[in-house]
């Protein structure tokens, strides 16, 4: 689903920005949200998923 893809990529981007912050612990909540929704942040940060429905 395209909406989920956008959410995944934006969440991954926010976590990446947080990692560069002076206080990287700020991303703990974002990682928890990702886990709760079954989002693989590592995969999303490495280029995301291919859309198999093309």
């Amino acid at each position: 689903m395209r909406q989920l893809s956008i959410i995944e990529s934006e969440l991954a981007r926010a976590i990446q920005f947080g990692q560069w912050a002076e206080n990287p612990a700020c991303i703990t909540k974002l990682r928890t949200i990702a886990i709760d929704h079954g989002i693989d942040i590592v995969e999303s940060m490495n280029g995301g998923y291919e859309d198999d429905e093309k």
Side-chain angles (χ1 to χ4, degrees):
M1 177 182 276
R2 178 148 170 74
Q3 291 173 339
L4 184 57
S5 177
I6 292 170
I7 292 168
E8 285 180 22
S9 64
E10 290 301 313
L11 186 57
R13 193 169 80 123
I15 289 172
Q16 189 170 40
F17 285 149
Q19 289 173 335
W20 299 329
E22 287 183 28
N23 179 10
C26 66
I27 62 174
T28 302
K29 178 106 174 150
L30 294 174
R31 287 184 183 273
T32 301
I33 292 169
I35 291 168
D36 289 347
H37 290 88
I39 297 170
D40 184 349
I41 291 301
V42 174
E43 182 67 30
S44 295
M45 291 173 76
N46 290 331
Y49 301 95
E50 292 293 323
D51 185 3
D52 292 336
E53 296 182 26
K54 288 184 181 179

